[in-house]
Amino acid sequence: MKRWSVVAALAAVASCATPDASLAPGAGEPALDRASSNAPLYMVTLRDEVADVRAVARELGVRGGFAATAIREHAARGFDAVIPPSALAMVRSDPRVLIVQEDGIVTLRLPREVARPGGGGGGQTTPWGITRVGGAGDGTGKTAWIIDSGIDLDHPDLNTSRACHVNFTTGQTPDDGNGYGTLVAGTVAAKNNGQDVVGVAANAYVCAVRVLGNSGSGQWSWVINGINYVAANGTNGEVANMSLGASGSNATLEKAVTDAAAKGIKFVLAAGNDGAHASGFTPARVNGANIYTISAVNSSNCMASWSNYGNPPVDYAAPGVSILSTRKGGGTTTMSGTSMAAPHVAGVLLLGSIRGDGTASCDPDGNPDPIAHR
């Protein structure tokens, strides 16, 4: 499945404060429509000691003749802006600036297995992966933030009733336009209601943090601003799932994940589907407290041949082959990928602690990953 997706599975009670809508595009600092502009957008991250991000963004903008299109005050603290070439050196040399990085395109990769539609009426199934990691448990009252392509907000097997959904893409809504986010959400938290499937942390709220468009592509800046939104509205002990990724590194993205995790939010990252060492992919390569990178195994505990590997940065393996979950538009579907493995771990962490239960065979690095379990 795709390598990119901030599944965000965050635990929070329904009575939590309403998320800060000022962090969403359209609330004073709209996202730039890159489709209609050839001018490059830059993501500027300030040093941690900077107290007033907005003041610095305004000052640099006045000096350089530009205006911020987004402000981040919680993760990769800084701003996005179309910066004229004549002002770039000034911004980069400012002692308060840590990173200046040009925005780029993030594109989902096709699943390793073609989706197989099915389900919708006929009772409830407990997928093999849910059982393998010790589910289903009761996630009632907890919240999973899904940083992805959105969630089907009308799916009867998903609890989307909390007012927490947000869209960072251009001209869209938090409702899933692709299908991956809905699939991820079901593995984390599908309801235990006798219908379709059940998730690891059944009945938990799922919050759509949409950072990918209908085609499965998006901007780095959308993803990073989505992480900032979760950092602002999540609380200690909650979980964020990111079933997305790309090759190489991205300093701004990795800073955002590290900053948000430092607030106590547990970030779960898909290792990637390239059959290569996960250290060559972002955000999978990020290590640190409250950050978990996940490889994929099949029902025989054998690591999938296409799963990225290597610990570090991989922390656990989880079920990722022929995973049955919720489908956009209703019912269920089956897919494979480390993007399917990660939400199993997000659900486990949403319920509490995590441990290893056996190890992955077929692990090419010779250091078998522990298989995640409650």
Side-chain angles (χ1 to χ4, degrees):
M1 129 171 230
K2 72 185 181 196
R3 295 180 310 178
W4 262 106
S5 163
V6 173
V7 163
L10 293 175
V13 294
S15 61
C16 283
T18 301
D20 184 356
S22 69
L23 300 173
E29 291 148 334
L32 180 70
D33 184 354
R34 299 289 292 118
S36 61
S37 173
N38 293 321
L41 183 77
Y42 288 91
M43 302 171 292
V44 179
T45 302
L46 303 177
R47 298 188 182 277
D48 291 342
E49 56 267 27
V50 172
D52 191 337
V53 173
R54 292 176 184 270
V56 173
R58 284 193 297 269
E59 178 194 328
L60 292 176
V62 169
R63 288 166 55 193
F66 61 84
T69 61
I71 299 286
R72 291 181 298 277
E73 295 180 286
H74 305 276
R77 296 171 66 250
F79 60 91
D80 299 339
V82 177
I83 302 175
S86 59
L88 266 178
M90 178 271 293
V91 174
R92 286 193 169 110
S93 63
D94 191 286
R96 297 165 295 184
V97 171
L98 179 65
I99 304 166
V100 179
Q101 187 168 16
E102 187 173 342
D103 200 5
I105 299 294
V106 175
T107 303
L108 297 184
R109 298 185 62 158
L110 293 175
R112 289 293 173 169
E113 181 174 300
V114 176
R116 296 197 296 266
Q124 177 174 282
T125 299
T126 301
W128 76 267
I130 305 301
T131 302
R132 180 64 183 85
V133 300
D138 186 8
T140 301
K142 301 179 184 296
T143 301
W145 302 84
I146 311 299
I147 307 173
D148 213 290
S149 62
I151 297 173
D152 181 349
L153 301 179
D154 298 316
H155 199 294
D157 207 23
L158 296 174
N159 187 353
T160 60
S161 60
R162 186 182 169 205
C164 53
H165 313 293
V166 66
N167 170 58
F168 286 91
T169 68
T170 300
Q172 304 295 332
T173 72
D175 222 338
D176 194 353
N178 179 277
Y180 283 100
T182 300
L183 194 73
V184 164
T187 296
V188 177
K191 296 177 184 177
N192 190 1
N193 59 356
Q195 170 180 336
D196 293 334
V197 292
V198 62
V200 179
N203 309 317
Y205 295 101
V206 285
C207 292
V209 180
R210 187 172 182 185
V211 297
L212 300 169
N214 293 348
S215 66
S217 65
Q219 307 285 142
W220 289 106
S221 57
W222 296 350
V223 176
I224 292 160
N225 289 327
I227 296 171
N228 179 68
Y229 180 82
V230 172
N233 294 292
T235 60
N236 182 53
E238 297 182 339
V239 183
N241 189 90
M242 296 181 67
S243 292
L244 53 81
S247 60
S249 62
N250 185 299
T252 313
L253 171 73
E254 293 163 19
K255 171 70 169 163
V257 170
T258 301
D259 286 350
K263 297 177 180 293
I265 301 168
K266 300 174 184 179
F267 272 75
V268 184
L269 316 173
N273 304 330
D274 302 88
H277 202 286
S279 61
F281 299 85
T282 189
R285 66 192 298 271
V286 182
N287 283 306
N290 297 319
I291 301 172
Y292 302 81
T293 298
I294 311 303
S295 61
V297 295
N298 64 20
S299 58
S300 299
N301 298 328
C302 176
M303 183 175 290
S305 61
W306 38 258
S307 176
N308 286 357
Y309 55 85
N311 57 35
V314 173
D315 298 287
Y316 290 94
V321 179
S322 297
I323 301 303
L324 181 71
S325 190
T326 44
R327 178 181 59 165
K328 176 182 175 291
T332 61
T333 190
T334 301
M335 288 188 186
S336 298
T338 59
S339 287
M340 293 293 88
H344 285 87
V345 174
V348 169
L349 292 168
L350 198 60
L351 294 172
S353 60
I354 187 171
R355 64 181 178 87
D357 178 25
T359 57
S361 60
C362 319
D363 191 334
D365 69 357
N367 184 19
D369 300 334
I371 298 176
H373 200 278
R374 292 176 61 198

